[in-house]
Amino acid sequence: MRSLQFDNRFVRELPGDPEPSPHVRQVHGACYSRVMPTPVREPRLIAWSPEMASALGFDEADVRSPEFAQVFGGNALLPGMEPYAACYGGHQFGNWAGQLGDGRAITLGEAVNAKGERYELQLKGAGKTPYSRTADGRAVLRSSIREFLCSEAMHHLGIPTTRALCIVGTGEDVIRDMFYDGHPRAEPGAVVCRVAPSFIRFGNFEIFSARGDEQLLAQLVDFTIARDFPELGGTTETRRTEWFHTVCERTARLMAEWMRVGFVHGVMNTDNMSILGLTIDYGPYGWIDNFDPDWTPNTTDASGRRYRFGNQPGIGQWNLWQLGNALYPAFGSVEPLQEGLDRYAVVYARERERTLAGKLGLTMFHEGDSELVDTLHTLLARAEVDMTIFFRGLADVDLQQPSIEPVREAFYNEALLERESAAFADWLARYAARALQDGVPPELRRERMNAANPCYVLRNYLAQEAIDAAEQGDNALILELLDVMRRPYEDQPGRERFAAKRPDWARQRAGCSMLSCSS
Ligand code: AMP
Ligand code: MG
């Protein structure tokens, strides 16, 4: 473990805050503040990702060593680590919020593995930093389990995301008022080590622009391009233009992927948008059970539903628009920025069609297919049909003799099934006729659809069951879920329960359908 190499370019190449104390403050003229994790009482490894450990060159003995829990609980450093918290701002729920920054995340360093891949290691919940504002710098076990499991599940779904190496329990309690309703309680604390090539967010650029620090803005832009987009070449001007276009394209692709699998981020503030186009900051996220474009898991957003499922692609573009505004001083003209935003719309439309074609098992998306899709979405919402189970089952519909049988399981409500069955029969007949036009052999069609429609997603209630058990000291379900989510597109005999509909008890339960930002 001690042989892991670090190459800490962020702190080496960018200006830091000269003030060494962790007291809360506005930090000017700096991209980060050096800060040590606050040690915890009793660091204990709860779970780890074997894939991520092996990418970093850790074997099982490393992971199980007491030193591992010490390092990833925040009590010790490996040689070469240089901890810091980054300064960023952001638009929260549509309004400029000023300086935010890593209030409880501390980057330990940029590890470079034997293959030359760069992995920033960041502890979430590691204690106070200059950016903690009025909060405690800590994270609770429940939200740490949710972040750990979901980032690994997303990775295995093939969706760009930050990763997670491990969860370490701290042996300390954290006080949280889960629904901000005057009922605080003590909860077990934990630290997640998350991993990504870069944790730079849109908000890292916005803060310097908002403060009129154009020099630092340009420096951060060129640093980001050099470190994280080394494939871009040409003059400074063409590189910056290409870069913004690439960020727009990646964000568009990410939105289409979230829509494909029914993921709702829940807090798409610009400080939660990765410049690499990764899913980042797993908070009150959720997965669509019954198809509903208006659903949001985030109770903090319940009134405006800004970040509801169906609104995500539009918010992606709104966030890029804020980024484009912030970047203007580094571009000096609006054209390259406007082109990027236009590119977003084009790429999103293309990716949406591609993913929809995959979900329906069509070779290509044609003009008239939009109507077929819109009708289906209306029906799925009206009849309360489970999105994941429906699309998975659709692959088993016999195009020669379409019937509702293979998707019957996806209905939550018998009465609605009854009421809508004729409409579904009609849709299935039209769908079958359309799919037959492609002339794809049935086995190939099924294979394609099963590669686009996961069987297993991290349903909100499944994560909650793992949390309930872990809070009682039993981590087995975390490990089992991690293992199930490793092969989300394969039927896993014996594990049908993890592909089942949301049970009734989970419909209105905290943690299952209702989550807040309190974590
Ligand atoms: P989030 O809603 O988790 O994306 O966080 C928004 C901002 O609040 C970021 O600057 C976080 O670092 C900060 N923050 C969230 N929770 C805490 C906490 N427990 N302690 C300190 N800062 C926090
Ligand atoms: Mg955040």
Side-chain angles (χ1 to χ4, degrees):
M1 188 158 80
R2 299 197 141 250
S3 59
L4 187 62
Q5 297 292 310
F6 288 90
D7 175 35
N8 302 322
R9 290 185 64 178
F10 194 85
V11 291
R12 195 168 70 233
E13 298 177 26
L14 292 167
D17 174 8
E19 166 72 58
S21 130
H23 75 269
V24 171
R25 59 186 180 271
Q26 292 291 307
V27 173
H28 289 272
C31 292
Y32 61 89
S33 304
R34 290 185 190 265
V35 57
M36 293 292 285
T38 305
V40 299
R41 189 157 61 211
E42 209 183 327
R44 200 173 44 85
L45 183 64
I46 291 177
W48 52 288
S49 155
E51 290 86 0
M52 204 58 249
S54 102
L56 291 165
F58 297 150
D59 59 26
E60 188 157 347
D62 288 326
V63 174
R64 295 195 184 280
S65 70
E67 190 183 15
F68 188 88
Q70 291 289 336
V71 170
F72 295 105
N75 288 12
L77 296 180
L78 292 175
M81 286 178 167
E82 295 183 88
Y84 73 87
C87 179
Y88 57 80
H91 279 84
Q92 296 188 314
F93 299 96
N95 304 305
W96 175 242
Q99 178 181 299
L100 297 168
D102 287 332
R104 57 169 164 177
I106 296 181
T107 290
L108 297 173
E110 298 169 43
V112 180
N113 71 4
K115 288 193 211 148
E117 294 160 341
R118 182 173 299 270
Y119 291 108
E120 194 173 320
L121 305 180
Q122 185 175 82
L123 301 186
K124 183 167 176 180
K128 284 190 187 168
T129 78
Y131 309 96
S132 298
R133 297 179 289 155
T134 56
D136 60 3
R138 292 302 187 190
V140 289
L141 179 62
R142 64 180 152 87
S143 61
S144 304
I145 292 171
R146 285 168 48 82
E147 170 135 19
F148 174 80
L149 284 177
C150 200
S151 46
E152 290 304 285
M154 281 297 236
H155 167 73
H156 293 297
L157 281 165
I159 300 179
T161 179
T162 63
R163 304 285 305 277
L165 172 63
C166 58
I167 315 176
V168 173
T170 59
E172 294 176 8
D173 279 348
V174 174
I175 309 292
R176 287 288 180 272
D177 184 355
M178 198 194 291
F179 288 110
Y180 307 111
D181 59 359
H183 295 96
R185 69 172 179 112
E187 301 187 47
V191 175
V192 172
C193 177
R194 49 186 194 178
V195 185
S198 166
F199 283 95
I200 296 176
R201 302 137 189 277
F202 291 8
N204 291 73
F205 303 92
E206 289 180 280
I207 187 75
F208 300 130
S209 191
R211 290 172 166 169
D213 192 344
E214 296 183 3
Q215 197 252 321
L216 196 45
L217 173 69
Q219 192 179 348
L220 182 63
V221 167
D222 292 333
F223 169 84
T224 303
I225 295 170
R227 191 190 65 173
D228 299 328
F229 296 79
E231 67 282 5
L232 302 180
T235 64
T236 301
E237 199 173 302
T238 55
R239 268 206 318 269
R240 288 180 183 176
T241 298
E242 283 291 304
W243 169 67
F244 184 66
H245 293 182
T246 306
V247 173
C248 292
E249 285 183 18
R250 287 194 192 176
T251 307
R253 269 192 236 119
L254 183 66
M255 292 307 114
E257 288 289 49
W258 288 358
M259 299 309 287
R260 170 173 70 88
V261 296
F263 176 76
V264 190
H265 182 284
V267 207
M268 290 179 68
N269 294 333
T270 55
D271 52 304
N272 291 338
M273 296 291 293
S274 149
I275 203 69
L276 293 184
L278 308 174
T279 313
I280 192 173
D281 269 16
Y282 291 87
Y285 68 82
W287 292 83
I288 291 288
D289 292 310
N290 53 301
F291 183 85
D292 179 1
D294 290 333
W295 184 71
T296 174
N298 184 358
T299 53
T300 316
D301 187 28
S303 53
R305 292 181 182 266
R306 180 179 173 84
Y307 300 137
R308 63 192 184 271
F309 179 50
N311 222 24
Q312 298 186 118
I315 292 289
Q317 192 172 34
W318 190 91
N319 287 341
L320 284 163
W321 190 54
Q322 300 310 318
L323 177 65
N325 275 339
L327 292 173
Y328 176 76
F331 284 72
S333 71
V334 291
E335 283 78 22
L337 299 167
Q338 187 58 53
E339 281 162 19
L341 297 177
D342 295 344
R343 195 88 208 103
Y344 175 90
V346 170
V347 172
Y348 178 74
R350 187 190 72 202
E351 289 298 301
R352 179 70 175 146
E353 292 187 352
R354 185 185 62 77
T355 51
L356 283 171
K359 289 185 83 62
L360 294 171
L362 306 175
T363 307
M364 282 257 291
F365 202 85
H366 295 159
E367 281 277 315
D369 296 336
S370 298
E371 198 271 325
L372 195 66
V373 168
D374 292 346
T375 306
L376 174 62
H377 286 167
T378 306
L379 282 177
L380 292 177
R382 199 166 76 200
E384 283 186 24
V385 179
D386 189 89
M387 176 179 176
T388 304
I389 298 175
F390 180 87
F391 280 101
R392 189 75 184 182
L394 194 59
D396 294 327
V397 169
D398 179 352
L399 299 181
Q400 305 294 344
Q401 274 181 317
S403 110
I404 205 164
E405 279 318 308
V407 294
R408 179 181 285 276
E409 178 53 30
F411 287 76
Y412 279 93
N413 180 313
E414 274 299 316
L416 290 177
L417 165 61
E418 208 46 22
R419 193 186 78 193
E420 303 293 344
S421 64
F424 271 90
D426 180 57
W427 184 86
L428 285 164
R430 286 201 296 135
Y431 162 68
R434 165 64 186 90
L436 278 173
Q437 285 170 8
D438 284 350
V440 178
E443 250 329 288
L444 181 57
R445 167 177 164 268
R446 192 163 179 280
E447 209 174 285
R448 280 188 188 164
M449 290 177 77
N450 284 353
N453 297 313
C455 180
Y456 302 97
V457 295
L458 187 67
R459 291 175 186 269
N460 314 307
Y461 83 90
L462 291 174
Q464 188 58 39
E465 286 182 341
I467 290 166
D468 290 342
E471 287 184 346
Q472 302 306 314
D474 178 359
N475 299 327
L477 194 49
I478 304 178
L479 306 184
E480 187 165 19
L481 274 177
L482 181 66
D483 198 52
V484 171
M485 298 304 152
R486 215 173 249 137
R487 286 172 291 123
Y489 299 101
E490 282 175 37
D491 295 314
Q492 300 177 39
R495 285 175 156 174
E496 290 75 12
R497 94 164 185 92
F498 298 103
K501 282 193 293 242
R502 173 199 59 218
D504 267 350
W505 61 260
R507 219 181 151 98
Q508 296 298 339
R509 172 149 178 223
C512 298
S513 60
M514 297 184 294
L515 292 137
S516 76
C517 288
S518 159
S519 57

